[in-house]
Amino acid sequence: MDLIVSHEAADPLPSQGFSIEKNEIMNGTITRREMFLACIGFYEFFSPKMWRAAFTELVATAFLVFTLTTSIISCLDSHVSEQKLLVPIAVFIIAFLFLMVTVPLSGGHMSPVFTFIAALQGIVTLARAATYVLAQCLGSIVGFLIINSVMSHNAARRYSLGGCLIAGNGTSAGISAETALILEFTCTFVVLFVGVTIAFDKRRCKELGLVVVCAIVAGAMAIAVFVSITVTQKPGYAGVGLNPARCLGPALLHGGPLWKGHWVFWVGPFLACVVYYGFAKTLPEEGLVWEDKFEHDIINLARVWRNGTGTSCHLQRKK
């Protein structure tokens, strides 16, 4: 999720660029279209570093989905009395390890949620965000293809391959769409508030270091999963996903009820991102030192699109 302590390793904006100023637009040197393309990061489509980072996201998401899903289902399917306590421990360990590996390589998103909030706040460009989300969705499908080929059919049937079943549509298992929507929104907002607020704070990240920040983010994810499993206690539901792509693989492979209720796993987290983005604008400025690349902030992009003004963006020189 682009922790600031390691952001320099995640393919920062090219140094071979120049700032586009308003007078350059007015005298015709730079068109408004060129400025907008620069602000959405169109140049990154031609960057091998970005494509390598996207491939890292694909591989990391595939194996994160595989390890998390199989671990959670194994915990819930065990006969120990503390099975629900095992789930957050597994989530914390797996999420922490994957974050430690991928943050310096691609930013450590591994979920459209973290990519979306990073794009809203201008930490990554829209071009990179779109590429990451596509890679994450493909990674989820690959991960569940592996799960489907190795998991016990009884466990796969009981937990709907990934715990993404919505009640109704001819089934009594799983949870209702309303409950799933509330849980996805609430738990995602909690993770954003606890994890992203620290991850995007330049000063605090450097004070705490990569290990501590990754532990905080992983801990927030573990708590969210534990709460969602505890309050629902439904066999077709394996806890809040915090990752819309997590349920995409099962929906495509099994279809039926999984596909009909799939929308809640996208709408809930994305609403949480929008609300958190608005909430972050009200946080005390003296308490935070946000990342200073807000030319890609969604509000700035809207200004550029509407009237050609806003924070200057970088446009790669043509050679």
Side-chain angles (χ1 to χ4, degrees), residues 105-132:
L105 301 176
S106 64
H109 295 202
M110 298 175 286
S111 167
V113 169
F114 297 129
T115 300
F116 186 56
I117 191 61
L120 285 178
Q121 294 200 213
I123 304 298
V124 299
T125 65
L126 288 182
R128 181 179 288 257
T131 308
Y132 272 19

Side-chain angles (χ1 to χ4, degrees), residues 27-41:
N27 62 27
T29 305
I30 301 296
T31 66
R32 183 180 301 181
R33 177 176 176 273
E34 288 175 321
M35 183 177 182
F36 182 74
L37 289 176
C39 285
I40 66 173

Side-chain angles (χ1 to χ4, degrees), residues 88-154:
I89 296 175
V91 170
F92 174 81
I93 294 174
I94 295 171
F96 173 76
L97 293 176
F98 272 83
L99 284 171
M100 285 294 297
V101 172
T102 58
V103 164
L105 301 176
S106 64
H109 295 202
M110 298 175 286
S111 167
V113 169
F114 297 129
T115 300
F116 186 56
I117 191 61
L120 285 178
Q121 294 200 213
I123 304 298
V124 299
T125 65
L126 288 182
R128 181 179 288 257
T131 308
Y132 272 19
V133 170
L134 177 60
Q136 291 154 3
C137 290
L138 292 175
S140 171
I141 295 172
V142 171
F144 278 102
L145 284 172
I146 300 174
I147 293 174
N148 194 44
S149 63
V150 300
M151 180 173 285
S152 162
H153 292 294
N154 291 333

Side-chain angles (χ1 to χ4, degrees), residues 236-290:
Y237 182 66
V240 65
L242 308 172
N243 186 347
R246 179 181 74 94
C247 293
L248 180 62
L252 290 175
L253 291 176
H254 283 192
L258 289 176
W259 188 250
K260 293 178 181 177
H262 180 67
W263 62 271
V264 302
F265 299 107
W266 291 87
V267 174
F270 280 176
L271 282 177
C273 288
V274 172
V275 172
Y276 173 79
Y277 173 74
F279 170 74
K281 295 293 184 182
T282 68
L283 293 175
E285 294 183 0
E286 62 273 13
L288 294 168
V289 181
W290 292 114

Side-chain angles (χ1 to χ4, degrees), residues 49-60:
K49 290 183 179 180
M50 192 272 284
W51 289 106
R52 286 198 293 267
F55 183 70
T56 301
E57 284 287 309
L58 189 155
V59 174

Side-chain angles (χ1 to χ4, degrees), residues 32 46 57 72 83 92 125 146 204 242 251 299-300 319:
R32 183 180 301 181
F46 306 97
E57 284 287 309
I72 291 175
Q83 57 180 221
F92 174 81
T125 65
I146 300 174
R204 197 179 305 179
L242 308 172
I299 293 179
N300 184 65
K319 296 182 180 180

